[in-house]
Amino acid sequence: MARYYRYKMPPWARNCIIVIEKVTLPIVIFQLIRTLFIPTTFDVFLLGILIGVFVAFYLEWI
């Protein structure tokens, strides 16, 4: 199985991934603060998904 290599992608797709990677941390922080003040099931679920995406970017799985 070949390893995912983001530099083989077209430039526009690579730029989208880079933008999503840079924006993920501020969104996670905002969602964490929102979840601490107004905890709903949806907020907790969304925070879990966002943390998973952030960790995937951090460990370079995406």
Side-chain angles (χ1 to χ4, degrees):
M1 190 163 105
R3 178 164 157 68
Y4 173 76
Y5 191 60
R6 77 169 56 172
Y7 298 106
K8 288 184 178 179
M9 299 174 72
W12 63 269
R14 214 177 13 217
N15 287 339
C16 288
I17 289 178
I18 290 170
V19 168
I20 293 170
E21 185 176 4
K22 299 298 181 191
V23 170
T24 305
L25 182 60
I27 292 174
V28 167
I29 292 171
F30 172 76
Q31 188 63 33
L32 177 65
I33 292 170
R34 179 185 155 113
T35 304
L36 289 175
F37 289 121
I38 310 169
T40 63
T41 305
F42 178 72
D43 286 331
V44 173
F45 182 68
L46 184 62
L47 181 62
I49 290 174
L50 288 172
I51 289 174
V53 169
F54 178 74
V55 168
F57 277 124
Y58 183 75
L59 297 176
E60 296 180 358
W61 290 345
I62 296 178

